[in-house]
Amino acid sequence: AAGVIQSPRHLIKEKRETATLKCYPIPRHDTVYWYQQGPGQDPQFLISFYEKMQSDKGSIPDRFSAQQFSDYHSELNMSSLELGDSALYFCASSLFLAGGNSYEQYFGPGTRLTVT
Amino acid sequence: AQSVTQLGSHVSVSEGALVLLRCNYSSSVPPYLFWYVQYPNQGLQLLLKYTSAATLVKGINGFEAEFKKSETSFHLTKPSAHMSDAAEYFCAVSNTASKLTFGTGTRLQVTL
């Protein structure tokens, strides 16, 4: 079965540079979530999109922005990178079922961002 | 606000022994509860979920969890641990189709 695809898998950037992370959800999934997992920490929700509209926002820095495109893939843009941005960034996708009780999110393998 | 608390950041069991990973939740609305497993340098894999149907939920790899509203718990169990079960386990909560709030994780070690 098709899974969530994230690219790149690894990314090394210097401070103050920019980075773009991409996420391709499972086909027919309409919702995308972004999470950040620092070293030894639990994943923290950043932002989500449903049908190309932002649906929820968590602890995402103002330096970060994201969007979901017409083909449902999503990109997380990170500017003015800081050392503290070094983390594993996960994308997850789900299919919203009106009146349903699925709500399970399928995670991609993550992008490991290292800021030096 | 919703949250989950995982008791025990590290749990060590012998191969073949019972696995019990504890998770307590806090939610003002009926929660949806999940257990995810993360192997080193890998993504999160869904083990099982509770979405207000049966309170005893069976998942993959022989794991199961029981939703106990009176105890606000959703503990993960497996009758017999296998070496391949060694990983980080996260309990998570959400309501409707929304973000997941994770616990701090429990690292399971399985010894011979």
Side-chain angles (χ1 to χ4, degrees), chain B residues 42-96:
Chain B
Q42 293 189 27
L44 293 154
Q45 181 182 12
L46 179 66
L47 278 177
L48 49 80
K49 62 180 180 181
Y50 167 77
T51 55
S52 75
T55 57
L56 182 61
V57 180
K58 294 186 182 300
I60 62 172
N61 301 338
F63 285 94
E64 63 181 40
E66 185 172 8
F67 174 74
K68 293 186 177 180
K69 185 177 180 180
S70 60
E71 299 177 8
T72 61
S73 68
F74 190 59
H75 301 331
L76 181 70
T77 61
K78 182 174 181 178
S80 177
H82 191 272
M83 295 296 289
S84 61
D85 295 327
E88 186 88 19
Y89 291 80
F90 291 97
C91 181
V93 63
S94 75
N95 65 314
T96 65

Side-chain angles (χ1 to χ4, degrees), chain A residues 35 37 42 90 101 104-105, chain B residues 36 38 49 51 98 100 103:
Chain A
Y35 294 85
Q37 185 179 29
D42 55 292
F90 287 110
N101 62 357
E104 55 200 64
Q105 297 180 22
Chain B
Y36 283 86
Q38 185 177 32
K49 62 180 180 181
T51 55
S98 69
L100 290 168

Side-chain angles (χ1 to χ4, degrees), chain A:
Chain A
V4 177
I5 297 172
Q6 291 188 246
S7 68
R9 293 292 309 278
H10 301 273
L11 191 58
I12 299 175
K13 292 286 186 179
E14 295 186 355
K15 284 192 303 183
R16 293 180 289 278
E17 285 192 321
T18 62
T20 297
L21 279 54
K22 297 185 178 182
C23 169
Y24 298 86
I26 292 172
R28 293 187 299 281
H29 279 195
D30 51 19
T31 306
V32 168
Y33 306 81
W34 285 97
Y35 294 85
Q36 177 191 58
Q37 185 179 29
Q41 299 180 8
D42 55 292
Q44 295 289 318
F45 170 72
L46 292 178
I47 195 167
S48 63
F49 294 87
Y50 167 66
E51 284 291 344
K52 292 153 280 185
M53 298 289 290
Q54 181 181 308
S55 53
D56 198 1
K57 191 173 181 180
S59 51
I60 183 170
D62 292 340
R63 300 178 288 108
F64 294 6
S65 65
Q67 58 182 321
Q68 186 179 31
F69 295 85
S70 58
D71 63 351
Y72 293 97
H73 94 273
S74 178
E75 294 184 4
L76 177 66
N77 298 292
M78 311 159 71
S79 63
S80 302
L81 287 169
E82 302 173 356
L83 295 178
D85 296 328
S86 295
L88 196 54
Y89 290 83
F90 287 110
C91 171
S93 74
S94 68
L95 175 63
F96 179 76
L97 299 172
N101 62 357
S102 177
Y103 308 132
E104 55 200 64
Q105 297 180 22
Y106 294 87
F107 282 76
T111 294
R112 184 170 296 281
L113 172 67
T114 302
V115 182
T116 62

Side-chain angles (χ1 to χ4, degrees), chain B residues 17-19 22 25 27 33 35 37 39 46 54 57 88 97 104 112:
Chain B
L18 171 71
V19 175
R22 300 178 186 273
Y25 71 90
S27 177
L33 294 161
W35 276 99
V37 61
Y39 297 98
L46 179 66
V57 180
E88 186 88 19
T104 51
L112 289 172

